[in-house]
Amino acid sequence: MSALSKAFSPALREIRVLLCQSSPASAGTRQFIQTAYPAIKKQNPDLPVLIREAQGTPARVFARFERGVERHVELDNLSASDVERKVADLLKSS
């Protein structure tokens, strides 16, 4: 079972995903969103998960924690499984 299909720490306040809707560098991130988003929202229905697409934007994910702490990781040119691993590591860093 994926680490992302479980409820997250209450310290996590928001997840923001930025990506390009057409670039090959964001392909793994797009696939990750299609497969992981339903499980994330099912286990964390009140957690805001924002997905922002803009032409030419590098793929990144930001996590905002309590007290305004924010961390991010770069996701360009990664496969969907690599994206999932990096996002899971980021969300554990609370």
Side-chain angles (χ1 to χ4, degrees), residues 32-66:
F32 164 77
I33 290 168
Q34 290 176 339
T35 57
Y37 180 81
I40 290 171
K41 284 309 285 184
K42 182 177 181 181
Q43 294 298 320
N44 305 278
D46 296 327
L47 177 68
V49 179
L50 309 170
I51 300 169
R52 300 292 183 247
E53 296 178 318
Q55 192 67 33
T57 299
R60 295 174 287 184
V61 65
F62 291 81
R64 186 171 51 87
F65 299 94
E66 60 189 3

Side-chain angles (χ1 to χ4, degrees), residues 83-94:
V83 169
E84 182 173 353
R85 192 170 337 111
K86 286 196 98 160
V87 170
D89 289 345
L90 173 68
L91 298 180
K92 286 185 212 171
S93 68
S94 64

